[in-house]
Amino acid sequence: MSVPLREANGRDELFGSTRWTMVLRAGDSATASAQALNALSELCQIYWRPLYSFLRKQGYGSEDAKDLTQGFFADLIETRAYAHADREKGRFRSFLLGALKHFIADARDREQALKRGGGMILVKLDDNAIAEAEAQIGRATKWQADEFYDREWAASLLRQALDRLTRECALARKAELFSYLKPYLAATEESTIPYKEMARRLNRRVTTLRSDVARLRKRYRLILREEVHGTVPEAAEIDEELRHLCHAVTAA
């Protein structure tokens, strides 16, 4: 069912340049199903892990959690649940979790919770990533489901930012240099190879190496801000969201 243009424009205005905008526009296009599927497949690829982790902490088994994660994104295409978003739920992180909670409650009532995506597989969830997520879940015995969701959401944004930076360096033909310098992005100076040793390995001056790392860190922070900007309705909320996610990652 098509959505009135005025309503669609209003939602576009609400979400600004968030990732959700591409789904809203896809839903209003002449090729809605294909474009919405592509958009939601991309979102699933990026954000499946926080949702999967939340479901696991809620007590679902691994296979059931995978089925529900797939089914949730497929259900968004069918029901257009995003049409009901409002400014109070403007943060994509909060909206997506709220929509998932509604989905699993409704799926329980309809006894359709375990049908993987209603037969629609958006993306194949990576087995290695599943194993890594399971290891994290196993260690997070004291975390509540909502808290762990926020932690995994932050981790997903960090991974997405790092993937973008990796691709940028590859395009700039600096993939090898980046592979050496990547540990410096987040690790403390004490836990990385000393600059003098790294300079010797790369046949690069220490001062140049420090400048390389400083530029990489600056670019990484900028990309991360862009990723966060894509999940909040206004740029003014970026810093607050970053503080929240930083706390989610570092909380004991």
Side-chain angles (χ1 to χ4, degrees):
M1 182 180 298
S2 63
V3 175
L5 184 59
R6 182 186 306 172
E7 181 182 345
N9 288 341
R11 294 202 311 276
D12 280 350
E13 189 175 287
L14 166 64
F15 286 102
S17 60
T18 65
R19 293 186 179 279
W20 210 233
T21 306
M22 63 185 177
V23 179
L24 298 175
R25 290 174 179 166
D28 295 322
S29 73
T31 55
S33 60
Q35 290 194 24
L37 179 59
N38 289 337
L40 289 174
S41 293
E42 181 180 346
L43 292 173
C44 183
Q45 185 70 59
I46 297 170
Y47 298 119
W48 69 265
R49 187 160 161 173
L51 298 169
Y52 172 85
S53 298
F54 172 82
L55 291 166
R56 291 287 285 117
K57 292 293 288 183
Q58 286 285 88
Y60 291 95
S62 178
E63 289 302 315
D64 291 353
K66 285 190 285 187
D67 290 340
L68 284 167
T69 301
Q70 292 276 13
F72 168 65
F73 280 102
D75 188 72
L76 287 177
I77 296 175
E78 180 182 355
T79 65
R80 300 176 59 82
Y82 48 82
H84 305 296
D86 56 39
R87 186 169 294 277
E88 291 182 358
K89 298 179 180 179
R91 295 192 181 188
F92 191 58
R93 167 177 55 85
S94 301
F95 174 74
L96 208 59
L97 181 58
L100 175 67
K101 290 177 179 179
H102 284 295
F103 169 71
I104 58 177
D106 187 49
R108 251 187 238 118
D109 294 339
R110 291 183 285 112
E111 297 184 353
Q112 293 179 351
L114 305 183
K115 293 182 180 179
R116 176 168 295 173
M120 182 187 299
I121 305 300
L122 297 175
V123 294
K124 184 181 185 303
L125 304 186
D126 181 76
D127 291 338
N128 291 331
I130 289 285
E132 186 180 292
E134 286 295 322
Q136 290 282 359
I137 292 164
R139 291 191 289 267
T141 56
K142 297 181 180 180
W143 289 74
Q144 298 299 313
D146 287 56
E147 295 171 334
F148 196 61
Y149 169 82
D150 281 354
R151 184 177 189 178
E152 284 301 305
W153 182 272
S156 292
L157 289 176
L158 289 169
R159 283 191 294 270
Q160 183 68 8
L162 186 60
D163 287 346
R164 281 182 55 187
L165 185 59
T166 302
R167 292 193 296 270
E168 285 186 7
C169 290
L171 289 172
R173 298 182 180 180
K174 295 183 179 180
E176 183 178 5
L177 177 63
F178 178 71
S179 68
Y180 280 103
L181 301 185
K182 184 167 67 172
Y184 289 86
L185 290 175
T188 60
E189 295 284 332
E190 293 77 14
S191 62
T192 55
I193 299 174
Y195 277 108
K196 286 186 178 179
E197 173 62 20
M198 186 60 69
R200 185 189 65 78
R201 294 185 185 183
L202 295 172
N203 192 27
R204 208 172 181 85
R205 291 186 302 177
V206 170
T207 54
T208 303
L209 191 60
R210 288 184 182 275
S211 295
D212 292 334
V213 171
R215 283 194 295 271
L216 273 179
R217 285 174 173 168
K218 182 178 180 180
R219 181 57 184 156
Y220 184 47
R221 288 193 295 268
L222 180 60
I223 293 174
L224 180 58
R225 289 183 68 84
E226 290 176 353
E227 289 297 319
V228 172
H229 189 191
T231 66
V232 296
E234 297 179 3
E237 298 185 33
I238 295 174
D239 289 332
E240 182 182 349
E241 181 73 349
L242 278 169
R243 285 191 292 270
H244 174 83
L245 295 176
C246 182
H247 176 74
V249 170
T250 58

